Amino acid sequence: MKRKLEGQVALITGASSGIGAGVAKAFALEGASVVINYSSSPDKADKILKEIQSAGGTAITVKADVSSEQEVVDMYKEIFRLWGTVDILVNNAGLQKDAKFHEMSLDEWNRVIGINLTGQFLCAREAIKEFLRRGVVPEKSKAAGKIICMSSVHEVIPWAGHANYASSKGGVMMLMKSIAQEYAPMKIRVNSIGPGAIRTPINHAAWQTPESYQQLLKLIPQKRIGEADDIGGAAVWLASDDSDYVNGITLFVDGGMLLYPGFEDNG
Ligand code: NAD
């Protein structure tokens, strides 16, 4: 049986750890040629590259800070030089710089918006240019290109102490929907994944100790933290033709976090 992403080039930003690494491995298993983007840790990116290669997959690593217009443009140039095109973008790179709102510095605000939101804009813009240039290649996919934005449950759940992060993800939601609407007629699909709590370096404080883990579980009806594989499976589906009629949605992968578990016993 043909694998779901056979012969397609997939760029995954921030793929040297956590969710991005999980998506990169899941895509490679489905036959995609994977670009592992990283910004600062070549060793970690190489480790993911080797894991993919030893499982029989195809991948390269490319360094770029997604918040830099020039570095993003250069990253795409390098991908086109090596592999000719790009079929799938997973806009995954992101970070938190937490602070009480009245103490938040402009730098903490700008850095989170610059990477989590402007970074997604820059990477999506270059991907869309290439999708429009190339159009549909029917042997590869029904779509001219697919973009998956890594959002969060915090595109809808407010988050005290994290106003910069929640604002960036609220922005990602409208960025995703606006470009989905703009390019659907050109057979380009744009969707988001909204993870709940996934066990990665970004939120280690929330699962590190038994006490913090028990506290976290109060927010998760399924009573387990999510793993990068949970997101990998959802991302494969959104990137493949199995979801060809799905456009402009956020697929929440959160163990039921958005079910307001605080109301389980009537609040
Ligand atoms: P992570 O820290 O393991 O991964 C984030 C990656 O982004 C890292 O590899 C980091 O090096 C990279 N990155 C940071 N700044 C970058 C830049 N300027 N250019 C390129 N890469 C950069 O954390 P994660 O949990 O895997 O996060 C991945 C995405 O998932 C983020 O967008 C995050 O907001 C989102 N998310 C995570 C959770 C969770 O519970 N882990 C929940 C909701 C959303």
Side-chain angles (χ1 to χ4, degrees):
M1 204 174 76
K2 193 182 164 210
R3 292 181 293 177
K4 291 184 189 298
L5 305 176
E6 195 68 59
Q8 298 185 53
V9 175
L11 165 60
I12 298 142
T13 65
S16 61
S17 71
I19 290 173
V23 171
K25 288 188 244 177
F27 276 22
L29 283 177
E30 288 296 343
S33 297
V34 171
V35 182
I36 301 164
N37 157 256
Y38 69 97
S39 60
S40 58
S41 326
D43 302 354
K44 287 192 196 160
D46 276 345
K47 184 172 169 283
I48 305 303
L49 175 73
K50 294 213 170 71
E51 282 177 37
I52 289 175
Q53 287 172 336
S54 57
T58 304
I60 53 170
T61 62
V62 181
K63 184 177 192 304
D65 172 350
V66 297
S67 67
S68 155
E69 183 173 32
Q70 192 56 53
E71 289 188 32
V72 168
V73 169
D74 290 346
M75 169 170 64
Y76 275 90
K77 275 191 194 147
E78 179 64 1
I79 297 167
F80 299 154
R81 187 182 71 78
L82 292 167
W83 284 344
T85 192
V86 69
D87 303 280
I88 302 162
L89 163 67
V90 182
N91 249 336
N92 168 78
L95 83 178
Q96 290 178 214
K97 293 275 170 209
D98 307 332
K100 288 199 171 75
F101 181 69
H102 65 280
E103 292 170 353
M104 188 175 284
S105 66
L106 180 58
D107 186 54
E108 284 164 335
W109 172 267
N110 281 341
R111 206 157 146 64
V112 170
I113 299 295
I115 293 169
N116 294 14
L117 182 56
T118 309
Q120 294 217 12
F121 155 69
L122 291 171
C123 292
R125 189 184 60 180
E126 298 312 302
I128 297 260
K129 282 182 197 166
E130 173 60 9
F131 299 162
L132 292 173
R133 182 200 67 77
R134 191 202 54 235
V136 176
V137 180
E139 311 83 66
K140 289 204 285 188
S141 176
K142 290 176 183 166
K146 283 109 9 167
I147 296 177
I148 299 170
C149 300
M150 206 53 71
S151 183
S152 166
V153 288
H154 294 296
E155 72 171 42
V156 288
I157 301 178
W159 206 11
H162 309 258
N164 47 1
Y165 183 84
S167 302
S168 74
K169 297 302 185 180
V172 164
M173 176 178 67
M174 288 311 289
L175 172 70
M176 177 276 289
K177 289 186 186 209
S178 299
I179 55 182
Q181 188 189 62
E182 192 164 342
Y183 296 102
M186 295 82 170
K187 294 194 188 316
I188 293 169
R189 293 196 298 116
V190 189
N191 293 289
S192 286
I193 293 176
I198 310 298
R199 192 195 309 270
T200 74
I202 212 174
N203 62 356
H204 60 98
W207 49 265
Q208 220 172 17
T209 67
E211 295 74 31
S212 59
Y213 188 59
Q214 284 312 313
Q215 199 60 27
L216 177 68
L217 291 191
K218 288 184 187 161
L219 300 175
I220 309 173
Q222 279 183 230
K223 299 298 171 208
R224 74 165 175 88
I225 193 169
E227 305 295 344
D229 285 352
D230 290 308
I231 306 298
V236 166
W237 183 73
L238 274 181
S240 77
D241 282 352
D242 288 350
S243 61
D244 186 56
Y245 207 47
V246 177
N247 215 340
I249 64 143
T250 298
L251 174 58
F252 290 105
V253 183
D254 67 351
M257 199 176 244
L258 276 171
L259 298 173
Y260 297 92
F263 282 82
E264 202 179 310
D265 53 5
N266 290 324

